[in-house]
Amino acid sequence: MTERQLTFSESELLSDHEFASPHQIGTQRLHGGFDAAGKYIPPRSKGRRVAIDNWTTALREKGGDLLEADSSLLTGPRVPNIAQQRLLIANGVTRPFWNGLTITGKIEGRGRMIAEMPLPDLQQFIVEDLSGMSLGHLGKGLLKAHGIDEGGEPEEGIGGHDVMWFVARDLAFGPNKHPDVEPPGAIARPEADGKAPGRRMPEIELPYEMLLGFLMNLLLIEFRAEIGFASTQEILRTATLFTDRRAEAEEAAQIVERIRTDEEIHVESLRLYLGELREATCRTADGGTIPGAALIDPFWTGLVRWATVDQPRISAENTYRALKDQILEDEDGARILGEFDALADPGYSLAAG
């Protein structure tokens, strides 16, 4: 039996498959490529795929598993939902959808920081040897690959997810359809548990809490993105919309599908990191130890509650107010707004102010 490889170099984790053809739209080179049959192959997926599979098998052999979570965790109102967005576009109110694609691309671009973020020494935090685990490779190529996926390699002229969103937007609308727009501010999670401000794992040193919290928040962001990306594809593929650019809108939907394919390894990797952490023995700030699950599980439970109960309603109401103003700019805005409100997700009464 061939010994399973559990340690990888950075070059292995960043390695690409041999592409039969590059991923290019017009003059824009994008990451990834295609095999001889025309199937899309994600970037940096050669060694990374083997590594994730091997570490997952090793974790399961020790009785652990990936963190049990998927995008179905995220419920709550969607504003605009698919029907509302279709209504707006059909009535010529295209700025909200254009803005959404632009903002998504800019947020993806910010993910480039993941490639360069400083990391604390996890081996000083975890009792078990990390050399053959994914946790031992976070700073040896794994997070670098994730960040480059999001923000690309601008110095090489290769676009990542950020540029892919802008290309998809311009395919559907043509260039410069609307003025540029910046992402709104994030909705902060309130501190309501009585602990020190910002501390939810006071048992451990702050740098480790920050890293664990970052990984869990990033996983929820990936889940939220998956829902939004699927909705975007449905809208782009609506035969009655973008009728003057139907073929281009279909190509835009294909680009979104490639982004979603890239994101699969991000979600799987994050679930693996957190699964390994749950099985680990962690060192506390006072010199003791604590099971990783005792840190991960309460934080994750609270985070999911915020992301499924509190944050969606706040976000939906903020979005509704901004959309209402945009809709009413149209000369037929009152009618469109009435139809828009009638298509709202059931069970939610959003502020109309």
Side-chain angles (χ1 to χ4, degrees):
M1 179 182 293
T2 303
E3 185 176 356
R4 186 186 307 121
Q5 181 180 355
L6 293 175
T7 60
F8 294 81
S9 67
E10 180 173 301
S11 61
E12 287 177 305
L13 293 174
L14 297 175
S15 62
D16 273 316
H17 289 276
E18 292 292 329
F19 302 131
S21 59
H23 184 195
Q24 187 158 325
I25 306 295
T27 61
Q28 178 62 60
R29 175 76 166 87
L30 301 169
H31 70 202
F34 302 91
D35 64 16
K39 180 182 178 182
Y40 175 71
I41 304 172
R44 293 164 285 280
S45 60
K46 185 179 180 181
R48 191 166 36 153
R49 179 70 271 164
V50 174
I52 296 300
D53 289 345
N54 288 0
W55 290 323
T56 297
T57 299
L59 176 61
R60 287 171 174 162
E61 287 177 350
K62 293 186 290 188
D65 209 338
L66 308 184
L67 180 72
E68 186 175 353
D70 59 49
S71 61
S72 66
L73 282 171
L74 299 186
T75 59
R78 305 292 165 190
V79 179
N81 58 33
I82 293 173
Q84 289 174 324
Q85 193 67 270
R86 284 171 171 157
L87 170 75
L88 295 181
I89 296 170
N91 281 275
V93 183
T94 58
R95 184 152 62 101
F97 190 59
W98 191 97
N99 284 356
L101 300 179
T102 302
I103 288 169
T104 299
K106 291 191 175 187
I107 291 173
E108 293 266 39
R110 292 177 179 177
R112 186 64 170 74
M113 55 76 62
I114 297 171
E116 301 163 357
M117 63 183 290
L119 297 174
D121 183 355
L122 275 177
Q123 191 60 82
Q124 297 296 314
F125 173 57
I126 293 175
V127 173
E128 292 81 7
D129 179 17
L130 299 182
S131 61
M133 298 166 63
S134 71
L135 291 175
H137 293 74
L138 292 183
K140 299 177 180 179
L142 286 178
L143 293 184
K144 184 174 183 179
H146 189 142
I148 297 173
D149 286 353
E150 306 291 19
E153 300 171 88
E155 68 282 357
E156 302 292 334
I158 300 174
H161 292 165
D162 54 346
V163 176
M164 291 170 76
W165 281 104
F166 301 146
V167 169
R169 176 200 66 196
D170 290 349
L171 280 169
F173 287 102
N176 305 314
K177 175 69 174 179
H178 294 288
D180 197 15
V181 63
E182 293 298 325
I187 299 171
R189 181 183 174 195
E191 301 297 333
D193 53 8
K195 297 179 181 177
R199 296 305 307 269
R200 291 179 177 273
M201 303 179 203
E203 304 92 338
I204 63 177
E205 297 288 352
L206 180 59
Y208 302 118
E209 177 184 337
M210 291 176 67
L211 177 59
L212 269 58
F214 172 79
L215 295 174
M216 284 185 270
N217 274 284
L218 186 57
L219 180 57
L220 275 185
I221 289 170
E222 294 284 2
F223 287 155
R224 188 175 295 113
E226 167 60 23
I227 294 170
F229 296 177
S231 299
T232 296
Q233 282 185 290
E234 285 195 50
I235 292 162
L236 288 168
R237 287 174 170 159
T238 301
T240 56
L241 303 179
F242 306 102
T243 53
D244 58 336
R245 304 182 65 87
R246 190 65 250 140
E248 291 88 345
E250 291 290 344
E251 186 174 10
Q254 291 173 12
I255 293 174
V256 178
E257 182 64 29
R258 292 167 199 155
I259 295 172
R260 293 179 69 188
T261 300
D262 295 345
E263 298 285 9
E264 289 173 3
I265 199 167
H266 294 176
V267 169
E268 189 176 349
S269 297
L270 287 161
R271 292 179 61 211
L272 171 62
Y273 308 155
L274 295 169
E276 287 182 349
L277 281 164
R278 290 190 75 258
E279 298 301 313
T281 305
C282 303
R283 292 186 171 92
T284 57
D286 62 5
T289 60
I290 186 172
L295 297 171
I296 298 296
D297 292 353
F299 189 102
W300 180 251
T301 298
L303 190 61
V304 168
R305 174 175 172 80
W306 165 245
T308 59
V309 177
D310 303 316
Q311 190 271 348
R313 185 178 297 279
I314 297 170
S315 177
E317 294 193 357
N318 290 346
T319 303
Y320 178 85
R321 293 187 183 98
L323 280 173
K324 179 181 177 182
D325 291 340
Q326 293 179 37
I327 293 169
L328 291 177
E329 290 174 3
D330 190 273
E331 62 181 15
D332 203 15
R335 174 192 61 80
I336 297 171
L337 182 62
E339 295 181 15
F340 182 92
D341 290 343
L343 293 172
D345 287 340
Y348 295 93
S349 177
L350 298 179

